[in-house]
Amino acid sequence: MEQLFTISGTTLIIRLPAELDHHSSEKIRLEADRLATGRNIRWMLFDFGQTVFMDSSGIGMLIGRYKMMRFLGGNVAAIRANEQIQRVLTLSGIDKVIDVYEGIPQQLNL
Amino acid sequence: MNQGERTMQQNEMKLEFDSRSCNEGFARVAVAAFMTQLNPTLEEVADVKTAVSEAVTNAIIHGYEGRVKKVEIFCRIEQETLFVEVRDEGKGIPDVELAMQPMYTTKAECDRAGMGFAFMEAFMDALEVESTPGRGTCVRMRKHIRHDTEQFPGYLDTETAKNMTER
């Protein structure tokens, strides 16, 4: 099975599935929270590279993780979102609080 | 209009499935497959998939609150318009107007964004919600599929193209 969660230093990279809905968001939420609270994670990177569908359940999951990471003194970013995903991010307004990068941000030195 | 013409322009389908979250993907893909006869753009398909996903997720999370009952989808194509109805016989919504306000959610602790109805409204042309507490909810949506407008052959003059889009 492909690795969905990768930890590199203090960064947790989450490779999102092809379809991010209520069904798939639930599992990601549980695992992301477990990993982020159990270790010293400063950045949570959501990799949309393989994602072709997202609805408001995905947005809810992102907002929840954003709140948690801010509480822990860390941050959240989204990377490699295609046009469709970008539309949903923009429509929800979440792109105003979560940075969206084309690739892995350089300041993370990964 | 004779029966033959009618069947060309109108088409219906009905779907019933268990209110399990694993069926959310099935439901939106089924509606997407049904609408392909309208020759939609990728963006139009994505819009409908998102709207259906929102309505079905609402039925599962809010209508039935995790209990396994039936969700029903009814689709109709009339000319170039798609009508989608998503029904549950769950607990219903006491105040539909309040529920439809962006960011309003009764389940913030479950990471619900409160954007379901706002997304349905944004991605479809029309949205109507009917709900009776204790009886269930019916979400009706409509979307006109503007197909082929940018695929006219180059030799068409503006007037002909205009007539074709208005047909």
Side-chain angles (χ1 to χ4, degrees):
Chain A
M1 218 184 105
E2 264 188 288
Q3 194 73 31
L4 294 180
F5 297 85
T6 316
I7 293 174
S8 172
T10 56
T11 302
L12 171 64
I13 304 171
I14 302 170
R15 196 180 317 147
L16 297 168
E19 311 232 315
L20 188 57
D21 61 1
H22 160 238
H23 182 66
S24 55
S25 294
E26 281 295 290
K27 297 171 194 163
I28 293 160
R29 170 167 83 112
L30 294 173
E31 186 63 5
D33 289 6
R34 191 182 68 81
L35 290 171
T37 49
R39 296 161 191 254
N40 179 27
I41 299 293
R42 317 296 295 172
W43 275 93
M44 199 181 268
L45 277 192
F46 287 95
D47 184 355
F48 284 89
Q50 296 174 36
T51 308
V52 290
F53 177 86
M54 174 167 70
D55 63 14
S56 76
S57 298
I59 296 294
M61 192 271 292
L62 289 178
I63 294 174
R65 305 294 71 65
Y66 170 76
K67 286 182 184 162
M68 186 192 67
M69 286 308 290
R70 296 300 290 180
F71 178 75
L72 295 172
N75 219 332
V76 166
I79 61 169
R80 303 203 296 155
N82 74 12
E83 214 175 300
Q84 182 54 33
I85 302 300
Q86 188 58 55
R87 263 179 92 209
V88 178
L89 290 172
T90 308
L91 181 69
S92 69
I94 198 180
D95 60 335
K96 293 191 185 81
V97 287
I98 291 178
D99 288 332
V100 184
Y101 301 98
E102 277 185 22
I104 291 174
Q106 281 192 339
Q107 66 259 40
L108 292 182
N109 292 319
L110 291 181
Chain B
M1 186 191 298
N2 68 34
Q3 193 58 38
E5 278 172 23
R6 187 181 174 276
T7 49
M8 288 280 285
Q9 292 161 345
Q10 196 171 325
N11 195 5
E12 296 181 346
M13 75 98 160
K14 200 168 142 180
L15 205 67
E16 193 189 82
F17 52 90
D18 280 352
S19 57
R20 301 176 192 273
S21 67
C22 60
N23 284 333
E24 291 158 3
F26 160 71
R28 62 178 176 260
V29 168
V31 175
F34 181 72
M35 76 182 286
T36 55
Q37 58 199 290
L38 287 173
N39 194 20
T41 62
L42 286 176
E43 190 173 298
E44 286 164 339
V45 175
D47 289 355
V48 170
K49 277 172 83 174
T50 311
V52 170
S53 196
E54 300 296 349
V56 171
T57 304
N58 274 354
I60 293 173
I61 296 181
H62 300 287
Y64 292 127
E65 296 188 298
R67 284 171 299 138
V68 178
K69 302 261 178 142
K70 302 293 178 194
V71 180
E72 216 175 78
I73 295 184
F74 178 70
C75 284
R76 189 172 83 246
I77 285 172
E78 245 180 67
Q79 312 276 1
E80 293 162 357
T81 305
L82 173 75
F83 296 83
V84 185
E85 218 175 278
V86 179
R87 271 176 186 281
D88 68 66
E89 292 182 349
K91 70 165 186 180
I93 306 167
D95 187 340
V96 172
E97 209 181 314
L98 178 65
M100 288 178 75
Q101 279 178 15
M103 317 297 272
Y104 175 83
T105 180
T106 51
K107 293 200 190 319
E109 74 285 358
C110 300
D111 277 336
R112 308 307 309 162
M115 291 176 186
F117 284 125
F119 272 30
M120 291 181 230
E121 241 165 359
F123 289 124
M124 302 294 276
D125 294 338
L127 167 69
E128 210 182 276
V129 183
E130 208 182 286
S131 191
T132 315
R135 300 285 290 278
T137 301
C138 176
V139 172
R140 289 191 194 88
M141 300 180 279
R142 171 169 58 80
K143 190 176 182 70
H144 182 71
I145 306 301
R146 302 153 189 84
H147 50 115
D148 284 341
T149 41
E150 61 274 81
Q151 286 163 26
F152 287 144
Y155 57 80
L156 276 184
D157 60 46
T158 334
E159 193 56 39
T160 322
K162 195 163 166 277
N163 288 336
M164 279 179 77
T165 47
E166 285 170 358
R167 94 193 110 104

